[in-house]
Amino acid sequence: DVQLQASGGGLVQPGGSLRLSCAASGFTFGSYVMNWVRQAPGKGPERVSGIKTDGDPTYYADSVKGRFTISRDNAKNTLYLQMDSLKPEDTAVYYCATVNSDRSTYGYWGQGTLVTVSS
């Protein structure tokens, strides 16, 4: 079955860094566009970043541009999100998700990993 297991979250002080990982299995990871999506407490989901199958980033939310970097290793079936200069407003559950071939809908979601930015 399809699994997307996000990890790497935790508590970090403002200005700190974290690297999130998403381990994929049960499907051909290298054939899918991938997104990171986050949801802060009491708020709706926000698309953070997207990446093409070949590893070319295609999207960053304005709120994270210049601070976050998306990447992938298709040989390892893993998606990454490097987060630098973290701010309290980055606090959220971060999810990885596949994008369907129509490029407009999501297919599979991970369970997410919690990032808390606080002093």
Side-chain angles (χ1 to χ4, degrees):
D1 57 344
V2 171
Q3 293 190 25
L4 290 165
Q5 298 180 328
S7 62
L11 176 64
V12 64
Q13 292 187 251
S17 297
L18 286 173
R19 188 167 89 148
L20 306 183
S21 298
C22 178
S25 61
F27 68 102
T28 306
F29 174 77
S31 297
Y32 284 83
V33 171
M34 298 295 297
N35 278 186
W36 284 101
V37 180
R38 69 184 182 186
Q39 188 162 18
K43 298 183 178 180
E46 176 188 21
R47 183 160 65 108
V48 175
S49 187
I51 189 168
K52 292 169 62 178
T53 58
D54 64 0
D56 183 23
T58 60
Y59 175 83
Y60 289 105
D62 288 343
S63 57
V64 308
K65 198 169 296 182
R67 300 187 297 118
F68 290 12
T69 304
I70 190 171
S71 62
R72 67 192 295 164
D73 187 336
N74 289 340
K76 296 181 178 180
N77 289 346
T78 303
L79 178 72
Y80 303 98
L81 185 68
Q82 177 66 44
M83 305 186 296
D84 298 320
S85 301
L86 283 161
K87 303 175 180 179
E89 49 264 47
D90 295 319
T91 296
V93 178
Y94 285 72
Y95 303 91
C96 58
T98 65
V99 181
N100 291 328
S101 59
D102 61 11
R103 304 296 181 93
S104 64
T105 59
Y106 291 117
Y108 304 112
W109 294 80
Q111 192 163 273
T113 185
L114 176 63
V115 172
T116 302
V117 185
S118 177
S119 59

